[in-house]
Amino acid sequence: MSLFNQQQIKIYNTLSGEKEIFQPIADGYVGLYVCGPTVYSNVHLGNVRTFMSFDMIFRYLKHLGYKVRYVRNITDAGHLENDGDIGEDKITKKARLEAIEPMEIVQRYTVDFHNVLNTFNFLPPSIEPTATGHIIEQIELIQSIIDNGFAYIVNGSVYFDVHKYNESNEYGILSKRKLEDLIHNTRALDGQSDKKNPQDFALWKKAEPTHIMRWPSPWSDGFPGWHLECTAMSTKYLGDYFDIHGGGMDLKFPHHECEIAQNQAAKGQAPVKYWMHANMLELNGARMSKSTGNYINPAELLSGDNDIMSKAYNPSVIRFFMMQASYRSVLDLTDDGLAAAEKGFHRFMDAIGLIDKLKTSSSSSFNIAEWKQKCYDAMNDDFNTPILIATLFEGVKFINQVKDGSASITSDDLELLKETIKTFVFDVLGLVNISKESTGSDKLSGAVEILIKLRKEARLNKDFALSDKIRDELAEAGIQLNDSREGTTFTF
């Protein structure tokens, strides 16, 4: 029997505003679509957090035995500067500034995107389609919307008629915004726009003579609207109605709202059963922004080459830090938070390193089977990784107690413990067991070992004041000594 028949997941559905029991459309199969990056610059750390959240969800669904088709697109055309209908395509603008071809920009930053995600131990999606590779599908989708009376053509551009759509559907069903409120809060058109109403959005834009990226269509040489590409690619690979659509909270409106409207207008049905949104990543309590200088990119965080953090942090430590918050919570990235996560991460890995050295007994003083189910219960509750980590630390405490002789474990429970740790720490959370030398140094470790020997000599000479001083000053430096029958170990 597959694990998904034994474990019942609840997912917070943005569409309903409630946690719902997850019941996939086809038993045993999950269709998952996540909005990918626009490849005109290096990937933003906030985007990394979003993609990491869905990597964790993908991992857990696969662990439960679901056959998951995970589609994450690459936006390589048709994305205007203000994510609306005016301005300049971001890729075209970057290509013009650097005097190179737009697809060189696309290639450079697609490679960067993949390199960064590989560094953080992401699983690749099942399919990674590009917008430029699906122009035909987008043109066909636009024609269906026109044929159904929900779009109009003006001067070679095609616009979605939001007001007409709202007569028979609900525009704002996802974001809980009312069209009347949007009208009230929108400035009047200045007479230079081709749109009937400010709320209408572009399905196809006629390219200006200077616009480099363009394709032929029945209406003009031009390019597709940003919202359109995700509707075309998600439904091509997952069907007109699929299980989960994910993305950042900032995409809920207008991007995902427009996706719903486009699918409803073209195919007569909503596209998605469960909408999931990952929340934002802040830096030192404020919004990340290049313009204000409150910004750090993944490479700077990993290398330590920045003026914000005190040191470099390993990718697995950063991943562990991000997993300590719910994907639906705002997460504040701070030096103190990362330093604390680093200590916790090493406590984790130190305990895991002890498992194979534990001595077994005829009985267990800790209910491993119950603890294992608590780990599943945490993940089943809308992928609650902070509760999962807290539960795993109960296992860490028990491992140390067995090592110190204050607790016992049977050989069968030891195997169950090892299996559970592997499943949730490495397979689901996606952490990698790194040595302390990856974040510390061999020289520092050697110096601590010398101090441990000096402390041992002081205790043998009954110089407890010196012994305590060594322990306390190491603790102030962030190095914890752990005394046991086998000797003294340390953690950073």
Side-chain angles (χ1 to χ4, degrees), residues 317-344:
V317 170
I318 298 168
R319 185 167 181 127
F320 182 67
F321 168 78
M322 291 189 177
M323 291 291 105
Q324 287 180 306
S326 164
Y327 77 91
R328 289 198 290 122
S329 300
V330 174
L331 177 61
D332 188 18
L333 182 70
T334 66
D335 195 33
D336 288 345
L338 284 168
E342 186 175 69
K343 291 179 182 178

Side-chain angles (χ1 to χ4, degrees), residues 290-315:
K290 287 185 178 180
S291 61
T292 63
N294 193 51
Y295 181 83
I296 186 170
N297 67 34
E300 292 169 337
L301 187 59
L302 292 167
S303 68
D305 185 18
N306 62 85
D307 299 324
I308 297 174
M309 302 298 172
S310 62
K311 55 178 286 189
Y313 289 98
N314 185 277

Side-chain angles (χ1 to χ4, degrees), residues 4 15 163 171 192 239 334 384 403 407-408 418 432 446 477:
F4 62 76
L15 191 63
H163 289 242
Y171 184 76
Q192 297 179 346
T334 66
N384 198 326
K403 174 182 174 292
S408 60
K418 288 168 64 174
V432 175

